[in-house]
Amino acid sequence: MNIPNDPMILLSFVNTKLRDEYSSLEEFCKGHDLDVEALKKKLEDIGFQYNAKLKQFK
């Protein structure tokens, strides 16, 4: 499965997957063959930080 390229759609996609299917960002990235830091950077570039306690980007 391809992940969305648009950062805002990616944000929604990742948060939904974290809420519904994955127990951590690391597990999500492993399941989608993504680099954790690269994903964080892409979403930080549009103003969102990962909150591990809430398990979502805010």
Side-chain angles (χ1 to χ4, degrees):
M1 169 193 282
N2 290 333
I3 64 164
N5 197 33
D6 178 274
M8 292 304 290
I9 296 171
L10 177 62
L11 171 68
S12 178
F13 176 80
V14 171
N15 278 343
T16 299
K17 292 290 188 180
L18 288 171
R19 181 191 69 221
D20 296 344
E21 299 177 28
Y22 293 93
S23 63
S24 69
L25 181 60
E26 291 74 15
E27 184 183 315
F28 169 82
C29 287
K30 186 175 182 180
H32 291 277
D33 196 30
L34 299 171
D35 179 73
V36 174
E37 294 307 316
L39 178 61
K40 285 182 177 180
K41 171 78 171 102
K42 187 167 189 169
L43 294 176
E44 285 173 358
D45 286 349
I46 62 167
F48 292 87
Q49 301 287 322
Y50 183 67
N51 182 316
K53 185 176 180 179
L54 298 176
K55 204 173 71 171
Q56 68 180 352
F57 283 89
K58 292 190 83 166

Coordinates of all heavy atoms in Angstrom, one line a residue:
M1 N 0.8 -1.2 0.0 CA 0.0 0.0 0.0 C 0.9 1.2 0.0 O 1.8 1.3 0.8 CB -0.9 0.0 1.2 CG -1.6 1.3 1.4 SD -2.4 1.5 3.0 CE -3.8 0.6 2.8
N2 N 0.6 2.2 -0.9 CA 1.3 3.4 -0.9 C 0.7 4.4 0.2 O -0.5 4.3 0.4 CB 1.1 4.1 -2.3 CG 1.9 3.3 -3.3 OD1 2.9 2.7 -3.0 ND2 1.5 3.4 -4.5
I3 N 1.5 5.2 0.7 CA 1.0 6.2 1.7 C 0.8 7.5 0.9 O 1.4 7.7 -0.1 CB 2.0 6.4 2.9 CG1 3.3 6.9 2.4 CG2 2.1 5.1 3.7 CD1 4.1 7.5 3.6
P4 N -0.1 8.3 1.4 CA -0.4 9.6 0.7 C 0.9 10.5 0.6 O 1.7 10.5 1.6 CB -1.4 10.3 1.6 CG -2.0 9.1 2.3 CD -1.0 8.1 2.5
N5 N 1.0 11.2 -0.4 CA 2.2 12.1 -0.6 C 1.9 13.5 0.0 O 2.8 14.1 0.5 CB 2.6 12.2 -2.1 CG 4.0 12.7 -2.3 OD1 4.8 12.5 -1.5 ND2 4.1 13.4 -3.4
D6 N 0.6 13.9 -0.1 CA 0.3 15.2 0.4 C 0.4 15.2 1.9 O -0.2 14.4 2.6 CB -1.2 15.5 0.0 CG -1.7 16.9 0.5 OD1 -2.1 16.9 1.7 OD2 -1.5 17.8 -0.2
P7 N 1.2 16.2 2.5 CA 1.4 16.2 3.9 C 0.2 16.2 4.8 O 0.1 15.5 5.8 CB 2.3 17.4 4.2 CG 2.9 17.7 2.8 CD 1.9 17.2 1.8
M8 N -0.9 16.9 4.4 CA -2.1 17.0 5.2 C -2.9 15.7 5.2 O -3.4 15.2 6.2 CB -3.0 18.2 4.8 CG -2.3 19.5 5.1 SD -1.9 19.8 6.9 CE -3.5 19.9 7.6
I9 N -2.9 15.1 4.0 CA -3.6 13.8 3.9 C -2.8 12.7 4.6 O -3.3 11.9 5.3 CB -3.9 13.5 2.4 CG1 -4.8 14.5 1.8 CG2 -4.4 12.0 2.3 CD1 -5.0 14.4 0.3
L10 N -1.4 12.8 4.5 CA -0.6 11.9 5.2 C -0.8 12.0 6.7 O -0.9 11.0 7.4 CB 0.9 12.2 4.9 CG 2.0 11.4 5.6 CD1 1.8 9.9 5.3 CD2 3.3 11.9 5.3
L11 N -0.9 13.2 7.2 CA -1.2 13.4 8.7 C -2.4 12.6 9.1 O -2.4 11.9 10.1 CB -1.3 14.9 9.0 CG -1.8 15.2 10.4 CD1 -0.8 14.9 11.4 CD2 -2.2 16.7 10.4
S12 N -3.5 12.8 8.4 CA -4.8 12.1 8.7 C -4.6 10.6 8.6 O -5.1 9.9 9.5 CB -5.9 12.6 7.8 OG -7.1 12.0 8.0
F13 N -3.9 10.2 7.5 CA -3.7 8.7 7.3 C -2.9 8.1 8.5 O -3.3 7.1 9.0 CB -3.0 8.6 6.0 CG -2.6 7.2 5.7 CD1 -3.5 6.3 5.1 CD2 -1.3 6.7 5.9 CE1 -3.2 5.0 4.8 CE2 -1.0 5.4 5.6 CZ -1.9 4.5 5.0
V14 N -1.8 8.8 8.8 CA -1.0 8.2 9.9 C -1.7 8.2 11.2 O -1.7 7.2 11.9 CB 0.3 9.0 10.0 CG1 1.1 8.6 11.3 CG2 1.2 8.9 8.8
N15 N -2.4 9.3 11.6 CA -3.1 9.3 12.9 C -4.2 8.3 12.9 O -4.4 7.7 13.9 CB -3.6 10.7 13.1 CG -2.6 11.6 13.7 OD1 -1.5 11.2 14.2 ND2 -2.8 12.9 13.7
T16 N -4.9 8.1 11.8 CA -6.0 7.1 11.8 C -5.4 5.7 11.9 O -5.9 4.9 12.7 CB -6.7 7.2 10.4 OG1 -7.4 8.5 10.4 CG2 -7.8 6.1 10.3
K17 N -4.3 5.4 11.2 CA -3.7 4.1 11.3 C -3.1 3.8 12.7 O -3.3 2.7 13.3 CB -2.5 3.9 10.3 CG -3.0 3.9 8.9 CD -3.7 2.6 8.6 CE -4.0 2.4 7.1 NZ -4.7 1.2 6.8
L18 N -2.6 4.9 13.3 CA -2.1 4.7 14.7 C -3.2 4.5 15.7 O -3.1 3.6 16.6 CB -1.3 6.0 15.1 CG 0.1 6.1 14.5 CD1 0.7 7.5 14.8 CD2 1.1 5.0 14.9
R19 N -4.3 5.1 15.5 CA -5.5 4.9 16.4 C -6.1 3.6 16.2 O -6.4 2.9 17.2 CB -6.5 6.0 16.1 CG -7.7 5.9 17.0 CD -8.9 6.8 16.5 NE -9.4 6.3 15.3 CZ -9.8 7.0 14.2 NH1 -9.6 8.4 14.3 NH2 -10.2 6.5 13.1
D20 N -6.2 3.1 14.9 CA -7.0 1.9 14.6 C -6.2 0.6 14.5 O -6.7 -0.5 14.7 CB -7.8 2.1 13.3 CG -8.8 3.2 13.4 OD1 -9.1 3.6 14.6 OD2 -9.3 3.6 12.4
E21 N -4.9 0.7 14.1 CA -4.2 -0.5 13.7 C -2.8 -0.8 14.4 O -2.4 -1.9 14.4 CB -4.0 -0.6 12.2 CG -5.3 -0.6 11.5 CD -5.2 -0.5 9.9 OE1 -4.1 -1.0 9.5 OE2 -6.1 0.0 9.3
Y22 N -2.1 0.3 14.8 CA -0.8 0.1 15.3 C -0.6 0.6 16.7 O -1.2 1.6 17.1 CB 0.2 0.9 14.3 CG 0.3 0.3 13.0 CD1 -0.6 0.8 11.9 CD2 1.1 -0.7 12.7 CE1 -0.5 0.3 10.7 CE2 1.2 -1.3 11.4 CZ 0.3 -0.8 10.4 OH 0.4 -1.3 9.1
S23 N 0.3 -0.1 17.4 CA 0.5 0.3 18.8 C 1.6 1.4 19.0 O 1.7 1.9 20.1 CB 0.9 -1.0 19.6 OG 2.1 -1.5 19.1
S24 N 2.3 1.7 17.9 CA 3.4 2.7 18.0 C 3.7 3.3 16.6 O 3.4 2.6 15.6 CB 4.6 2.1 18.6 OG 5.3 1.2 17.8
L25 N 4.3 4.4 16.6 CA 4.8 5.0 15.4 C 5.9 4.1 14.7 O 5.9 3.9 13.5 CB 5.4 6.4 15.6 CG 5.9 7.1 14.3 CD1 4.7 7.3 13.3 CD2 6.5 8.4 14.7
E26 N 6.7 3.5 15.5 CA 7.7 2.6 15.0 C 7.1 1.4 14.3 O 7.6 1.0 13.3 CB 8.7 2.2 16.1 CG 9.6 3.3 16.7 CD 8.8 4.3 17.6 OE1 7.7 4.0 18.1 OE2 9.4 5.4 17.8
E27 N 6.1 0.8 14.9 CA 5.4 -0.3 14.3 C 4.8 0.1 13.0 O 4.8 -0.6 12.0 CB 4.4 -0.9 15.3 CG 3.7 -2.1 14.8 CD 2.6 -2.6 15.7 OE1 2.8 -2.6 16.9 OE2 1.5 -2.9 15.2
F28 N 4.1 1.3 13.0 CA 3.5 1.8 11.7 C 4.6 1.9 10.6 O 4.4 1.4 9.5 CB 2.8 3.1 12.0 CG 2.4 3.8 10.7 CD1 1.3 3.5 10.1 CD2 3.3 4.8 10.1 CE1 0.9 4.1 8.9 CE2 2.9 5.4 9.0 CZ 1.7 5.0 8.3
C29 N 5.7 2.5 11.0 CA 6.7 2.7 10.0 C 7.3 1.4 9.5 O 7.6 1.2 8.3 CB 7.8 3.6 10.6 SG 7.3 5.4 10.7
K30 N 7.5 0.5 10.4 CA 8.0 -0.8 10.0 C 7.0 -1.5 9.1 O 7.4 -2.1 8.1 CB 8.3 -1.7 11.3 CG 8.9 -3.0 11.0 CD 9.2 -3.7 12.3 CE 9.9 -5.1 12.0 NZ 10.2 -5.8 13.2
G31 N 5.8 -1.4 9.4 CA 4.7 -2.1 8.5 C 4.6 -1.4 7.2 O 4.1 -2.1 6.2
H32 N 5.0 -0.2 7.0 CA 4.9 0.5 5.7 C 6.3 0.8 5.1 O 6.4 1.6 4.2 CB 4.2 1.8 5.9 CG 2.7 1.6 6.2 ND1 1.8 1.4 5.2 CD2 2.0 1.5 7.4 CE1 0.6 1.2 5.7 NE2 0.7 1.3 7.1
D33 N 7.4 0.2 5.7 CA 8.7 0.3 5.2 C 9.1 1.8 5.1 O 9.6 2.3 4.1 CB 8.9 -0.4 3.9 CG 10.4 -0.6 3.5 OD1 11.2 -0.7 4.5 OD2 10.7 -0.6 2.3
L34 N 8.9 2.5 6.2 CA 9.2 4.0 6.3 C 10.3 4.2 7.3 O 10.3 3.5 8.3 CB 8.0 4.8 6.6 CG 6.8 4.7 5.6 CD1 5.6 5.4 6.3 CD2 7.1 5.3 4.3
D35 N 11.0 5.3 7.1 CA 12.0 5.8 8.1 C 11.2 6.7 9.1 O 10.6 7.7 8.7 CB 13.1 6.6 7.4 CG 14.1 7.1 8.4 OD1 14.9 6.3 8.9 OD2 14.1 8.3 8.7
V36 N 11.3 6.3 10.4 CA 10.6 7.1 11.4 C 11.0 8.5 11.4 O 10.1 9.4 11.4 CB 10.8 6.5 12.8 CG1 10.2 7.3 13.9 CG2 10.3 5.0 12.9
E37 N 12.3 8.8 11.4 CA 12.7 10.2 11.5 C 12.3 11.0 10.2 O 11.9 12.2 10.3 CB 14.2 10.3 11.7 CG 14.6 9.7 13.0 CD 13.9 10.4 14.2 OE1 13.8 11.6 14.2 OE2 13.5 9.6 15.1
A38 N 12.3 10.4 9.1 CA 11.9 11.1 7.8 C 10.4 11.4 7.9 O 10.0 12.5 7.5 CB 12.2 10.2 6.6
L39 N 9.6 10.5 8.4 CA 8.2 10.8 8.6 C 7.9 11.9 9.6 O 7.1 12.8 9.3 CB 7.4 9.5 9.0 CG 5.9 9.6 9.2 CD1 5.2 10.1 8.0 CD2 5.3 8.3 9.8
K40 N 8.6 11.8 10.7 CA 8.5 12.9 11.7 C 8.8 14.2 11.1 O 8.1 15.2 11.3 CB 9.3 12.6 12.9 CG 8.8 11.6 13.8 CD 9.8 11.5 15.0 CE 9.3 10.5 16.0 NZ 10.2 10.4 17.2
K41 N 9.9 14.3 10.3 CA 10.4 15.5 9.7 C 9.4 16.1 8.7 O 9.1 17.3 8.7 CB 11.7 15.3 9.0 CG 12.2 16.4 8.1 CD 12.9 17.5 9.0 CE 13.6 18.5 8.1 NZ 12.9 19.7 7.9
K42 N 8.8 15.2 7.9 CA 7.8 15.6 6.9 C 6.6 16.3 7.6 O 6.1 17.3 7.1 CB 7.4 14.4 6.0 CG 6.5 14.8 4.9 CD 6.3 13.7 3.9 CE 5.6 14.2 2.7 NZ 5.6 13.3 1.6
L43 N 6.2 15.7 8.7 CA 5.0 16.2 9.4 C 5.4 17.4 10.3 O 4.6 18.3 10.5 CB 4.3 15.1 10.2 CG 3.7 14.1 9.2 CD1 3.0 13.0 10.1 CD2 2.6 14.7 8.3
E44 N 6.6 17.5 10.7 CA 7.1 18.7 11.5 C 7.1 19.9 10.6 O 6.9 21.0 11.0 CB 8.4 18.4 12.1 CG 8.4 17.5 13.3 CD 9.7 17.1 13.9 OE1 10.8 17.5 13.3 OE2 9.7 16.4 14.9
D45 N 7.5 19.6 9.3 CA 7.6 20.7 8.3 C 6.2 21.4 8.1 O 6.2 22.6 7.7 CB 8.1 20.2 7.0 CG 9.6 19.9 7.0 OD1 10.3 20.2 8.0 OD2 10.0 19.2 6.0
I46 N 5.1 20.8 8.4 CA 3.8 21.4 8.3 C 3.2 21.8 9.7 O 2.1 22.1 9.8 CB 2.8 20.6 7.5 CG1 2.5 19.2 8.1 CG2 3.3 20.5 6.0 CD1 1.3 18.5 7.5
G47 N 4.1 21.7 10.7 CA 3.7 22.2 12.1 C 3.2 21.1 13.0 O 2.6 21.5 14.1
F48 N 3.4 19.9 12.8 CA 2.9 18.8 13.7 C 4.0 18.0 14.3 O 5.0 17.6 13.7 CB 1.9 17.9 12.9 CG 0.7 18.6 12.5 CD1 0.6 19.2 11.3 CD2 -0.4 18.6 13.3 CE1 -0.5 19.9 10.9 CE2 -1.6 19.2 12.9 CZ -1.6 19.9 11.7
Q49 N 3.9 17.8 15.6 CA 4.9 17.1 16.4 C 4.2 15.8 16.8 O 3.1 15.7 17.2 CB 5.3 17.9 17.7 CG 5.9 19.2 17.4 CD 7.3 19.1 16.8 OE1 8.1 18.3 17.2 NE2 7.6 20.0 15.9
Y50 N 5.1 14.7 16.9 CA 4.5 13.4 17.4 C 4.5 13.4 18.9 O 5.5 13.8 19.6 CB 5.4 12.3 16.9 CG 4.8 10.9 17.3 CD1 3.6 10.5 16.8 CD2 5.5 10.1 18.2 CE1 3.1 9.3 17.1 CE2 5.0 8.9 18.6 CZ 3.8 8.5 18.0 OH 3.2 7.3 18.4
N51 N 3.4 13.0 19.5 CA 3.2 12.9 20.9 C 3.1 11.4 21.2 O 2.0 10.8 20.9 CB 1.9 13.6 21.4 CG 1.7 13.5 22.9 OD1 1.9 12.5 23.5 ND2 1.4 14.7 23.4
A52 N 4.1 10.8 21.7 CA 4.1 9.3 21.9 C 3.1 8.9 23.0 O 2.5 7.8 22.9 CB 5.5 8.9 22.4
K53 N 2.9 9.7 24.0 CA 1.9 9.4 25.0 C 0.5 9.3 24.4 O -0.3 8.4 24.7 CB 1.9 10.5 26.1 CG 1.0 10.1 27.3 CD 1.2 11.1 28.4 CE 0.2 10.8 29.5 NZ 0.4 11.7 30.6
L54 N 0.1 10.2 23.5 CA -1.2 10.2 22.9 C -1.2 9.3 21.6 O -2.3 9.0 21.1 CB -1.6 11.6 22.5 CG -1.8 12.6 23.7 CD1 -2.1 14.0 23.1 CD2 -2.9 12.1 24.6
K55 N 0.0 9.0 21.2 CA 0.2 8.1 20.0 C -0.5 8.8 18.7 O -1.2 8.2 18.0 CB -0.4 6.8 20.2 CG 0.2 5.7 19.3 CD -0.3 4.3 19.7 CE -1.8 4.2 19.3 NZ -2.3 2.8 19.4
Q56 N -0.1 10.1 18.6 CA -0.6 10.8 17.4 C 0.2 12.1 17.2 O 0.9 12.5 18.0 CB -2.1 11.2 17.6 CG -2.3 12.3 18.7 CD -3.8 12.6 18.8 OE1 -4.6 12.2 18.0 NE2 -4.1 13.4 19.8
F57 N 0.1 12.6 16.0 CA 0.7 13.9 15.6 C -0.3 15.0 16.0 O -1.5 14.9 15.6 CB 1.1 13.9 14.1 CG 2.3 13.1 13.8 CD1 2.2 11.8 13.5 CD2 3.6 13.7 13.8 CE1 3.4 11.0 13.2 CE2 4.7 13.0 13.5 CZ 4.6 11.7 13.2
K58 N 0.2 16.0 16.6 CA -0.7 17.1 17.0 C 0.0 18.4 16.6 O 1.1 18.5 16.6 CB -0.9 17.1 18.5 CG -1.8 15.9 19.0 CD -2.2 16.1 20.4 CE -3.4 17.0 20.3 NZ -4.2 17.2 21.3

